[in-house]
Amino acid sequence: MSRVAIIGSGFSGLSASCFLAAAGFEVTIFEKNETPGGRARSFDNHGFTFDMGPSWYWMPAVFEKFFGHFNKKPSDYYELVRLDPSYRIIFNVNERYDIPAGVEKLKETFEGIERGSGDQLMRFLDEAKFKYEISFENLIYFPGLKVTELLDAHVVKALFRLHVFQPIRSYIKKFFNDPRLIQLLEFPVLFLGAKPERTPALYSLMNYADMALGTWYPLGGFNQIVNAMTSLAKSLGVGFSFNSCVQNIQIESDHAKGIWVNGAFHPFDYIIASADYHHVEQDLLPSGQRNYSKSYWNKKLMAPSCLIFYIGTNKKIEGLLHHTLFFDEDFNQHAKEIYDHPQWPSAPQFYVSCPSKTDRSVAPADCENLMILIPVATDLEDTEQTRERYFHMAMERIKRLTGQDIRSHVVYKKSYAHRDFATDYNAFKGNAYGMANTLFQTANLRPSIINKSVRNLFYTGQLTIPGPGVPPAIISGQVVATHLIKTHGNL
Ligand SMILES: Cc1cc2nc3c(=O)[nH]c(=O)nc-3n(C[C@H](O)[C@H](O)[C@H](O)COP(=O)(O)OP(=O)(O)OC[C@H]3O[C@@H](n4cnc5c(N)ncnc54)[C@H](O)[C@@H]3O)c2cc1C
């Protein structure tokens, strides 16, 4: 059996491991942390279970398709519930909207904000559905290695309807005038890590995922998906080595011979790096074997980092739903401070996840489990004083907008930002979401899944194709594993 080492146990590494093990490879995952899941790990404290990263379960079909490859279903591992309302947006004290599950009800919400926008929403979502289907049946599973992949008959025929060359901001404005609707429709694009002016309108497919396919939640927390994939991988024979930070990939000529971990050498036939691409290239490989130089990385637009607070309170908090977006400050100013003039934001928008609204198991009785997430620029000086300043800013805003000061009810609090992303995941510039999906950082223009000079070394994860997010990370693992399986024997 050919032996494969996978560096990192995030969604991309777990996904790749399952496909390779099922195809008969002997697979071992080396993970620097003590538990699997990467950015989607969780931790328990004071009776609370906090998901550390992802909280929005979108595109359930991607998860079904993944487990389906192994004759399993998500429900074999976890119970999903659809949230209704999907989420709440707070624009100011007197103005908040609950986004209902289901397009018909949503149409009414739109109509209440702007006359005629209900029908426009239907047209907008029809186009978004088309893009979603073309992308998820074709584009997103391409390995991004040859331009000819993009000449696929379906994609070529659809090119004009995919709006690849139009920014999503101007595209949305063709349908809607009200700034609140525009902001609501721009919100899912933020997952892709760039400003709406720089994100292709192709990604209105995210609006279809949000509004038509729905926002779901795995009971027990997002980490249930990590547990599910880890348990599937183990059942397929994948070995796990935790607390195992890979220090070096040993290369001889154009071949990777194995990896060094905690001072010991482990020989392998193939290596798949699912840790952050920049770290793998710059820290684990000799300079002559890297695909990309330091200056390449410095020119790339990284998706933002974020400042997070994991908070447990000893009482229920009114005014919040499972997902609440605080859009009471100017998004354009916030975006400028993330992308154009990177600095700590003057008045950021933020997001609060409160899974205890849906799931009693993640907090003690009558308590609330909160994650406050503030998107910020990468590479900022990250000090305790700065974090504390933003904690009080968020608390003041929550007090003003929900009428409750929760500070005296906080029984657990932990902050997380750049320093932690860099220490825990070797994240370039402390990024949270990898590399942004702009026009020039999409599909074949993203860092390649193959190493161009080391024939048996591959890459997967949110810095390569197709991009940031849990569904893309799962697909990324599948794509690289499929490529290795196909080319195995010729390498
Ligand atoms: C705060 C936050 C919120 C998010 N919210 C959402 C959301 O709601 N919905 C959504 O779809 N997506 C969300 N995302 C994005 C999503 O979590 C990521 O895109 C996805 O989890 C990335 O998976 P990955 O496998 O590419 O990388 P990672 O999860 O980072 O996995 C890489 C692994 O490699 C390990 N590693 C690094 N260096 C080494 C080394 N030298 N040796 C061994 N191991 C190493 C790391 O420890 C890590 O476990 C969020 C991300 C963050 C950070």
Side-chain angles (χ1 to χ4, degrees), residues 199-248:
T199 304
L202 164 69
Y203 291 110
S204 69
L205 65 87
M206 300 281 287
N207 298 110
Y208 177 71
D210 165 9
M211 294 172 164
L213 303 179
T215 299
W216 300 77
Y217 173 76
L219 289 174
F222 214 93
N223 194 251
Q224 294 305 318
I225 312 159
V226 172
N227 293 340
M229 290 175 68
T230 305
S231 136
L232 172 64
K234 284 185 177 163
S235 72
L236 294 166
V238 175
F240 284 82
S241 180
F242 294 110
N243 298 310
S244 297
C245 185
V246 176
Q247 296 151 317
N248 184 251

Side-chain angles (χ1 to χ4, degrees), residues 141-356:
Y141 289 92
F142 292 161
L145 296 173
K146 292 187 194 136
V147 183
T148 47
E149 290 165 21
L150 301 173
L151 301 180
D152 173 280
H154 294 95
V155 178
V156 171
K157 256 205 237 153
L159 199 60
F160 288 107
R161 294 176 67 193
L162 292 176
H163 304 121
V164 177
F165 301 107
Q166 183 176 0
I168 195 156
R169 170 158 286 179
S170 55
Y171 174 75
I172 291 172
K173 283 185 176 170
K174 283 197 331 199
F175 292 84
F176 308 99
N177 295 314
D178 190 284
R180 290 161 299 181
L181 294 184
I182 294 170
Q183 220 188 328
L184 163 60
L185 288 158
E186 284 181 353
F187 142 69
V189 162
L190 302 182
F191 283 115
L192 301 167
K195 285 166 75 172
E197 298 94 300
R198 291 194 65 184
T199 304
L202 164 69
Y203 291 110
S204 69
L205 65 87
M206 300 281 287
N207 298 110
Y208 177 71
D210 165 9
M211 294 172 164
L213 303 179
T215 299
W216 300 77
Y217 173 76
L219 289 174
F222 214 93
N223 194 251
Q224 294 305 318
I225 312 159
V226 172
N227 293 340
M229 290 175 68
T230 305
S231 136
L232 172 64
K234 284 185 177 163
S235 72
L236 294 166
V238 175
F240 284 82
S241 180
F242 294 110
N243 298 310
S244 297
C245 185
V246 176
Q247 296 151 317
N248 184 251
I249 301 173
Q250 187 166 315
I251 312 287
E252 277 173 32
S253 174
D254 62 354
H255 251 75
K257 292 290 171 191
I259 53 179
W260 285 88
V261 182
N262 298 333
F265 180 69
H266 300 260
F268 280 97
D269 302 302
Y270 300 102
I271 293 164
I272 295 185
S274 85
D276 278 32
Y277 205 122
H278 167 273
H279 158 65
V280 175
E281 290 241 311
Q282 296 294 321
D283 301 334
L284 308 186
L285 285 177
S287 57
Q289 318 288 12
R290 297 172 190 159
N291 278 344
Y292 307 105
S293 64
K294 272 197 176 119
S295 71
Y296 168 91
W297 288 109
N298 284 327
K299 281 188 219 134
K300 290 290 144 191
L301 180 71
M302 299 310 289
S305 184
C306 48
L307 169 57
I308 305 172
F309 297 100
Y310 306 102
I311 292 170
T313 63
N314 62 8
K315 74 162 200 156
K316 287 283 176 196
I317 312 296
E318 303 301 320
L320 298 177
L321 293 185
H322 187 131
H323 297 294
T324 306
L325 301 164
F326 285 79
F327 282 2
D328 52 312
E329 293 288 354
D330 178 16
F331 169 64
N332 290 325
Q333 181 59 27
H334 185 190
K336 269 187 206 150
E337 290 163 341
I338 295 177
Y339 300 106
D340 303 341
H341 308 287
Q343 58 190 286
W344 283 98
S346 42
Q349 299 193 337
F350 63 89
Y351 154 61
V352 179
S353 167
C354 186
S356 45

Side-chain angles (χ1 to χ4, degrees), residues 8 12 31-33 38-39 54-56 246 279 426 461-462 469-470:
S12 60
E31 166 55 55
K32 77 184 276 296
N33 293 315
R39 281 158 165 91
S55 53
W56 297 80
V246 176
H279 158 65
N426 289 313
Q462 61 176 0
V470 175

